[in-house]
Amino acid sequence: MAEWLTAREAALHLKVQPRTLLLWARQGKIPAHRLSGVQRCIWRFLKSELDRMLGVSSADSADGRQQ
C-alpha cells in the first residue's frame, strides 16, 4: 500500500525545511501531488517516489568516473 506523507513528514524524510520542500514541489523538482484546498494549496508526497528520487543522485557521476 502506498504511504502518503504530508509536507512536514516529507521534509523530515528528506532532511530539509518544509519551506524548501514546498518550493521544490511548486518548481517541479520533486515528485509531488497537489490537492485543491479552499484557502490554499495542499501537497502530498508518496514516500516511494521520494525514495526513488533519492536513489538517482547527480553525485553518482560528479567525480567524472564512468561506471
Side-chain angles (χ1 to χ4, degrees):
M1 179 161 190
E3 183 178 355
W4 290 95
L5 303 175
T6 64
R8 182 179 300 269
E9 293 166 339
L12 283 172
H13 183 65
L14 296 177
K15 297 180 174 70
V16 297
Q17 292 295 317
R19 236 182 137 113
T20 301
L21 179 88
L22 293 172
L23 175 65
W24 290 348
R26 284 192 302 273
Q27 293 174 342
K29 292 183 177 183
I30 60 170
H33 303 271
R34 185 177 180 162
L35 306 176
S36 61
V38 176
Q39 294 290 328
R40 58 185 168 172
C41 174
I42 299 170
W43 294 91
R44 290 294 181 263
F45 305 85
L46 273 173
K47 187 175 184 295
S48 60
E49 290 179 344
L50 296 176
D51 289 341
R52 197 173 317 118
M53 179 198 70
L54 289 175
V56 180
S57 173
S58 60
D60 290 341
S61 60
D63 62 3
R65 289 184 290 161
Q66 295 290 328
Q67 293 187 1

